[in-house]
Every structure is written in C-alpha cells, then in structure tokens.
Amino acid sequence: MVWGHWNVWGSLVWFGFMFPPADLLSEKDMEVLLQATGCSSELLRPLCRTDCLSERYRSFTGECNNRQHPKWGAANTAYSRWLHPEYEDFRGAPRGWDPEHTYNNFTLPPVRLVSQEVLLTQNDDISLDTSLSHLLVEWGQWIDHDLALTPQSPSTAKLTSLSCRVSPSRPVPQIPLSDPRTGIQSCMPFFRSAPSCVGGALAGTPPHHHREQLNAITSFVDASMVYGSSSSLAAALRDSSSRLGRLALNDQASDQGLAYMPYLPRLCPLSVAYIMCCLGDSRANEHLGMIALHTLFLREHNRLVEQLHLLNPHWGPDTLYQEARKIIGAIHQILTWEHYLPRVLGETATSQLMPTFRGYDPETDPSISNVFSAAAFRFAHVTVQPVVARLGSGYSLSPEHPSLPLHHSLFASWRVVQEGGIDPILRGLLLSPAKLQLPGQMMVEELTERLFQAQGGLPLDLAALNLQRGRDHGLPGYSSWRALCGLSVPNTTSDLADILGSPGLAEKFRSLYGTPQNIDVWVGAISEPPLAGGRVGPLLACLLARQFRALRDGDRFWWEREGVFTGAQRAALHAVSLSRIICDNTRIAHVPSDPFRHTVSPDDMLACNHALIPHLNLSAWKEPDTDPKCGLVPRLESGFSMLCDSTIYYQCAPGYQLIGPSLVTCDPNSQLWNAAPPTCHDVDECADQPTLCPENKDCLNTPGSYMCKGKVL
C-alpha cells in the first residue's frame, strides 16, 4: 500500500483528497490510521526514564536526549526549518513543478540544464587539492550518514523515464533539447521525499501546516550508521551469542581472518541487477569507501569490547557493548569537530563561527535542518575524484587491485571480498588528494553522466538530483539564505560577480535564472570562493557552522559535557586518531600522522608504532572495586555487575537465573548497601524442557548449559 501526504490537524489530507474532520472518526479509526501511516511514532510523546543508565547511555532513537523536548533530534521526526519553505502551491508542489510558474518574473531553469551549463566537468579537466586527502571527502559523507536519512515516497510523484508526466497538468523535470541524452530519455527518474505527518514551524512561531520531510535517523553525532537508530536494527547488528557485546560478523567470508560486515539474508535489487549487500545502514553499500569505513568501525567496536572486558571482567555483554558504543560516538565527535571542520571552514571561520563549548544548552534544538540536509552538506560532491585509487602494500600500484572509474565502485560490495579487502581502498584514500572546486571545475562527469551506470539502466545525474531535491523540499533561493546569514544579498549580475569572483559564472547564472534571487541554494553556495584556509565560501560556512554548533550544544551526551566521561577518560579520548584506528584494524603498517592532510609520498608515512600515532589508553575505563561511601562492591559468581553512581546493576550469565534484586543502592546515611546482592542459580534446562535432546539421547544438565549424551543400554 502506498500512502501519500498526511497532515494531522483538523483533517487528514491524502493525495489532495480530504478525510472527514477528526471528530467524525472514532478513536479506534484514528488509531488505525495513525498506525497504518507510521504517524503514531511521530506524534506520541515518549516517556523518558531518569535512572542512572538513561543518564549514562543514549537511546538508539535519540528520544529523550532533551528531557523537555524529547523528540528533538530523534529519528523519524521532521527536519527543522530556518526559513519558511517556498512551495509552488498549498499542497507543497516543488519549486519549478509548473514550467510556466514565475519567481521574481522569471521561470526556473530545468535542473538538468543547470547541471550541464554550470556543473559538468570532464574527468580529465580537474585540479587536485594539494592540501587535503580524499579521506577527508569520504569522512564528510560518512558523517552525513550519521546525521540524516531522508526516506523517499514511492507515490505518484515518482518521475520515471517511461512516464514523464504525473498528470497532463503536472509536467516533471524534462531533459532539455540541447542535452546529449535527448532521444535516450525524456526526463530524470526522481522520487519525492516522504512527508512528515505533522506540519512544520520555525522555532518560536505558531505551527504551520506546510509539507515537511522526515529524518529517519537520529540527528546527533552518535555513530548511528554503525549501530542503527532503532532498537530493532541495533539488535540485528549485534552478535546475540557473544558474551562480550560484539557486533555481528560475516560468517561467509573474511579478510584473511579480519572481519567483514555481515550480508543481508537476501540479494538486493538494484536497477536490472541483484547484488550481495551488507547489513546495516541502508547506504553502506553505496560505494567502496563507505564499505571500508563501515568495516573499519565494526572491527574497532569489537576490538574495544575485548579490551574493556580485560579491564572489567565483571561487565556483562550489554555493558561492554554500550561502553564501546559510547567511546565510538565520542571518537566521531572529536574527529569531526577538531579534525574535519577546521579544514572545511578554515581556522579563522572556525574560531569565529564555532566558539568554545560552554556546556549543554537544553534550549538548543539539535535537529538537522532541511537546508543542511538537502543542500549545504552536499557541498563535498564537487570535491570527489573521478577515480577510486586502490593501492597495494607500500602504497604501490598493483595489478591485483587496479584503480577504478568511480562509477565502477558504486554498489560493488563484491569487490571488497573478491579484490583484496578494505586495505587497498583505505591506502588509496590516504594517499590520493581531494579534487579542488573551482568555478569551471565543479562536478566530474562520473557523477553527472555515469552515476550508477555500471549497475544497468539509465545513468543518473547527481547534480540534477541535488537541485531537484532542494526544490522538492521547498528551499528558498540563494539570496534568502545570504540574508539569513547576514551576508550581502546580490540583486544584479554585477553584485553576483563580485561575490563569486567570476563574471563568467555570474553571467551563466543570469542567463539560466534571470535574477540572483532565483538561484538554487545548493549551486549558489558551492559557487562561492572558499574562505582563507577552508574549502567553503561564506554562505556554506555560516550554514554548516550553525548546524554543527547546534549538534554540539544541544546534545546532552556531548563528549566534553561534565559527567558524560570522567576527566581521565576525556584526556584519553582527546588523543584519538583515525590513523590509529586504521592501524589497529587493518594490515596497513604505515599511515600519515594526519590522515585528512594530503600526504605527497609513501615515504612520508609513519610506522604504526610511531609516537605520533598514539594508542587510546583505556585504563581510565577500569571500574573501581569500591564505592566512595559503601565500600567494596559485591560481585556475582556466574554473573555480571556494573557500578553506576552508587547503584550496582546485576545480571546473570546465560543459563543462570537471578535470585534476588537486580540492583542495589548505596544508602548515604547508613553507608551500607540497601540489600544483599543477588545470586545466580543454574537453570536445569533438562528439567524445564524435556524435549531438548532427541529420543535416543539423555539430557545432562551442566553449569550454565546442558549436553545430550547417548543413552546407556
């Protein structure tokens, strides 16, 4: 069943038809409707726990991070708005939906025409970034997959090459007559983003019932692409049999003993082909770089739980899992804010736009903004190289895993297993430079002309899709966002030429859009020359910094917040290094001290045992054996325990039953534990389940388990 756009207010709108007002529907009818559309999870206010564990660990969904606003930053909620959307009608038709509709007395150009005229760059006509590695580009997409996932709506708004009209009066983006694809396809395939069930509003203003889009994952930098944004996915990604809290591994293939991500139980349909896909974030299989990073952090999680188990053998699998998850989340925050963003924004802009952390602010909404997801954080698409470098041992070229045209690396997870694992891919990312974005060198043809071509079907155009996505989301034009950021607003072509530093590019925009006010925000923002030391211009610096500031200040579990980690743990975390993580989880023996900086020669790499590639010292995670007031912490035989703010949580190992309280608390007055610790009693599986063993064998109970033995005749 395909459901359309629901607005839950006085009545429900479904593909433009009106349901009866809510008071004509019974309570049961409303409940059925809300469940069927998935709106119930969006509308219900979650109940937030206040126990010690809820203070120590995030929820998977992001709910209750903010106790006053428990849905802020949570999965399956609407993107926030910094400006009111500009749709073509009250139902939320995308900008440019009607080719005769004018904005500021001009019609909007077809997105494919903008791609061809402004963005298309031949693969061999690019300049390389002598300062930054391609791993920085990859990290941007990796973090994007931690922040936002916009589900698409398989509704009548699908734009296909077979039917390029939703209805006779609703044409969709066409392929211009001047386009090389004319005669092959008449329009670009496109799905509209699924709408939220609730209308959107700017902070501090009354609710508006315009169309809003959903973020299906948590907004927070919490490594949700590794662990999932729901309890069910998190459970599916775990090794349920592990007593160490490990993530699940591939049981069909390994990288010479090192783990791969587990496969999905069935092949994934992709255009005209079916491929083997990896379980996890739905975008993990997009290209080789993503698979490499997913694999890297799966291995790092499992390495951490083993190390934490050695420090705290009394911790159970859930504690080990959550502590490793918490560390991985902090690592992502540190690498992004301290290593990635200063290179994107530039040191000066970072210091001006990203002031020092002053503490958690419960009045800051950390939700991802629509403009950030649909436009601003797509800036790095113009820094992608057309070739995926794969390098052998010693960072040498190798015939076993040659470099690939970019489109041959997309949805090609099989190449990881069959062509050398993740090491060649990571070596290529470490040694290859990023592409420079220049006015005449925007997006390589691998992305505008060959996107997903290797998987069969018609190739897509990433630039056109980005532009259409912004229009689909009703993002106002370029000038409106300049005004929001307090920047000068171009009114003439001359004004625009001054801002862009390129009269030729400004003239292209004039011929396409008629006025600077109509320029799509994504293409306008990426066209600005970068700030000193950075890779983005003033508008992108403003939008990116505003979002990342909110993600930091509005996160109750931000790694620097007092009480999230101890002082000793924060000091240890501050030394984290992506190069160290690569050393610890691959067979790569030499790495750069700074993996985001372009390393000119393999000779400049450092051995993994070099002092500049420090290990993460986990000694600060050793749990004390005593409580400050109640003294010795009672442990369990055949069970697990964890001390959390003078409360001990108990759990028995599998095959044992907990007898007694699952937690005891230190009484500060008596300075005694408020109850005796529980005990773990062996479960007699043979008595409880007489049919465990086949008829020709006897069931023999063993401590924590059982065994089936042949009957004595």
Side-chain angles (χ1 to χ4, degrees):
M1 182 179 292
V2 178
W3 293 94
H5 181 201
W6 291 89
N7 286 301
V8 182
W9 29 294
S11 58
L12 294 169
V13 182
W14 182 48
F15 292 149
F17 297 98
M18 303 297 289
F19 277 103
D23 58 2
L24 297 184
L25 294 171
S26 70
E27 184 176 339
K28 185 175 182 181
D29 290 336
M30 288 295 294
E31 183 178 345
V32 170
L33 286 170
L34 294 175
Q35 289 288 345
T37 59
C39 289
S40 56
S41 63
E42 235 190 303
L43 296 172
L44 292 177
R45 181 183 175 92
L47 296 175
C48 298
R49 292 164 37 193
T50 57
D51 62 344
C52 182
L53 293 183
S54 67
E55 289 289 337
R56 189 161 180 166
Y57 305 126
R58 301 173 181 271
S59 65
F60 289 108
T61 63
E63 291 179 338
C64 298
N65 186 302
N66 187 308
R67 298 195 183 282
Q68 289 74 43
H69 307 280
K71 285 288 190 178
W72 278 5
N76 297 313
T77 56
Y79 290 113
S80 64
R81 290 277 185 183
W82 296 342
L83 289 175
H84 286 298
E86 294 181 4
Y87 290 114
E88 210 143 274
D89 61 23
F90 75 93
R91 289 195 181 97
R95 287 164 56 89
W97 196 248
D98 179 356
E100 303 302 320
H101 187 93
T102 60
Y103 294 83
N104 302 299
N105 299 318
F106 294 94
T107 59
L108 295 182
V111 292
R112 173 65 179 171
L113 183 61
V114 178
S115 172
Q116 288 280 296
E117 293 293 322
V118 176
L119 291 140
L120 173 61
T121 302
Q122 300 300 314
N123 286 341
D124 56 0
D125 187 23
I126 63 171
S127 299
L128 301 180
D129 193 324
T130 58
S131 300
L132 301 178
S133 75
H134 212 276
L135 186 56
L136 182 97
V137 179
E138 206 70 39
W139 188 262
Q141 184 177 11
W142 176 246
I143 290 300
D144 177 66
H145 290 187
D146 193 12
L147 300 176
L149 172 60
T150 308
Q152 295 180 351
S153 176
S155 70
T156 53
K158 176 185 177 183
L159 315 184
T160 72
S161 58
L162 300 177
S163 174
C164 283
R165 287 179 176 269
V166 174
S167 71
S169 61
R170 292 294 190 198
V172 303
Q174 305 291 317
I175 299 295
L177 293 176
S178 59
D179 196 296
R181 297 193 188 191
T182 300
I184 302 173
Q185 60 185 124
S186 54
C187 70
M188 276 283 171
F190 183 82
F191 283 93
R192 292 206 72 181
S193 296
S196 164
C197 299
V198 294
L202 294 175
T205 66
H208 296 268
H209 303 299
H210 48 249
R211 181 184 179 105
E212 288 295 355
Q213 292 75 33
L214 278 170
N215 188 0
I217 63 176
T218 70
S219 293
F220 305 101
V221 175
D222 55 1
S224 60
M225 67 292 216
V226 177
Y227 298 101
S229 288
S230 69
S231 298
S232 58
L233 179 56
L237 294 173
R238 282 184 65 171
D239 179 353
S240 59
S241 65
S242 170
R243 297 183 67 169
L244 296 184
R246 291 191 182 99
L247 291 174
L249 309 178
N250 192 314
D251 59 3
Q252 300 177 47
S254 74
D255 186 1
Q256 300 179 62
L258 298 179
Y260 283 136
M261 297 171 66
Y263 290 139
L264 281 169
R266 62 186 63 86
L267 295 176
C268 302
L270 182 68
S271 187
V272 298
Y274 282 80
I275 63 169
M276 186 67 79
C277 286
C278 297
L279 177 65
D281 185 283
S282 59
R283 300 157 294 181
N285 300 277
E286 276 189 4
H287 61 90
L288 298 182
M290 279 299 97
I291 297 172
L293 288 176
H294 271 282
T295 305
L296 185 71
F297 280 99
L298 177 148
R299 294 176 184 175
E300 175 66 1
H301 171 93
N302 288 350
R303 189 192 71 83
L304 284 173
V305 295
E306 290 174 3
Q307 295 297 311
L308 291 170
H309 172 68
L310 295 176
L311 281 171
N312 301 289
H314 55 278
W315 278 359
D318 290 342
T319 302
L320 292 166
Y321 168 86
Q322 290 287 9
E323 288 292 328
R325 173 180 173 240
K326 188 175 178 181
I327 292 170
I328 294 285
I331 288 172
H332 280 77
Q333 292 178 350
I334 294 164
L335 293 179
T336 302
W337 268 261
E338 297 188 11
H339 299 258
Y340 172 78
L341 283 175
R343 287 171 169 79
V344 171
L345 303 178
E347 295 288 350
T348 300
T350 300
S351 62
Q352 292 173 347
L353 300 174
M354 192 77 65
T356 303
F357 178 66
R358 292 186 174 87
Y360 169 60
D361 178 8
E363 296 306 311
T364 295
D365 184 356
S367 302
I368 296 298
S369 69
N370 213 311
V371 69
F372 178 87
S373 172
F377 210 41
R378 300 181 182 219
F379 78 91
H381 290 170
V382 295
T383 64
V384 174
Q385 279 254 35
V387 172
V388 174
R390 297 188 296 174
L391 299 173
S393 179
Y395 293 87
S396 60
L397 294 174
S398 171
E400 297 178 8
H401 26 68
S403 297
L404 297 167
L406 178 61
H407 71 281
H408 281 295
S409 81
L410 306 178
F411 287 99
S413 52
W414 59 272
R415 290 188 184 276
V416 175
V417 176
Q418 297 180 22
E419 298 181 359
I422 67 171
D423 291 13
I425 302 163
L426 290 171
R427 289 192 198 99
L429 291 171
L430 288 168
L431 194 64
S432 298
K435 170 193 164 295
L436 264 186
Q437 182 270 328
L438 297 170
Q441 300 179 15
M442 294 284 205
M443 186 179 284
V444 295
E445 58 184 310
E446 286 291 305
L447 295 175
T448 62
E449 306 305 312
R450 301 192 181 105
L451 187 66
F452 304 141
Q453 183 180 31
Q455 289 70 42
L458 295 171
L460 301 179
D461 176 352
L462 183 59
L465 293 176
N466 284 349
L467 292 164
Q468 187 63 33
R469 189 66 61 199
R471 295 181 183 187
D472 176 37
H473 288 210
L475 296 182
Y478 171 67
S479 293
S480 298
W481 297 102
R482 294 269 305 181
L484 174 73
C485 287
L487 302 169
S488 63
V489 176
N491 293 309
T492 66
T493 305
S494 177
D495 294 340
L496 186 62
D498 290 340
I499 291 172
L500 302 183
S502 172
L505 184 56
E507 180 57 31
K508 278 187 179 180
F509 279 129
R510 185 208 62 76
S511 65
L512 287 165
Y513 289 93
T515 171
Q517 281 83 352
N518 286 358
I519 297 172
D520 292 283
V521 58
W522 175 71
V523 71
I526 62 172
S527 298
E528 293 182 352
L531 296 172
R535 291 299 180 270
V536 297
L539 177 55
L540 280 173
C542 164
L543 298 176
L544 296 177
R546 177 170 174 163
Q547 182 68 76
F548 280 101
R549 205 165 57 240
L551 286 168
R552 180 193 68 183
D553 297 346
D555 185 357
R556 185 162 61 90
F557 293 95
W558 178 254
W559 79 280
E560 291 177 290
R561 186 190 177 207
E562 194 71 30
V564 174
F565 291 101
T566 67
Q569 288 171 344
R570 290 196 299 272
L573 285 168
H574 201 75
V576 297
S577 158
L578 187 53
S579 286
R580 180 75 259 162
I581 293 172
I582 292 172
C583 283
D584 287 340
N585 297 284
T586 68
R587 292 186 175 80
I588 296 174
H590 290 78
V591 292
S593 59
D594 180 353
F596 290 157
R597 179 172 52 83
H598 176 225
T599 304
V600 177
S601 166
D603 295 337
D604 298 325
M605 301 287 182
L606 303 176
C608 281
N609 61 3
H610 196 283
L612 292 177
I613 317 292
H615 290 271
L616 172 59
N617 183 359
L618 290 172
S619 62
W621 276 263
K622 181 172 175 54
E623 185 179 278
D625 291 322
T626 59
D627 178 80
K629 292 186 177 178
C630 286
L632 189 67
V633 175
R635 305 295 186 195
L636 290 187
E637 185 177 348
S638 304
F640 311 114
S641 61
M642 180 191 69
L643 180 64
C644 185
D645 290 345
S646 295
T647 296
I648 311 172
Y649 291 82
Y650 290 110
Q651 183 182 18
C652 287
Y656 292 87
Q657 181 181 6
L658 189 74
I659 306 297
S662 60
L663 59 88
V664 298
T665 303
C666 176
D667 183 340
N669 296 318
S670 66
Q671 297 191 0
L672 296 172
W673 300 107
N674 70 342
T679 56
C680 291
H681 286 206
D682 178 47
V683 174
D684 189 343
E685 291 88 357
C686 297
D688 294 345
Q689 304 177 63
T691 59
L692 276 175
C693 294
E695 290 185 1
N696 64 336
K697 292 191 176 183
D698 289 322
C699 184
L700 178 65
N701 188 58
T702 61
S705 187
Y706 68 95
M707 61 186 300
C708 296
K709 294 188 67 175
K711 290 185 176 182
V712 178
L713 299 178

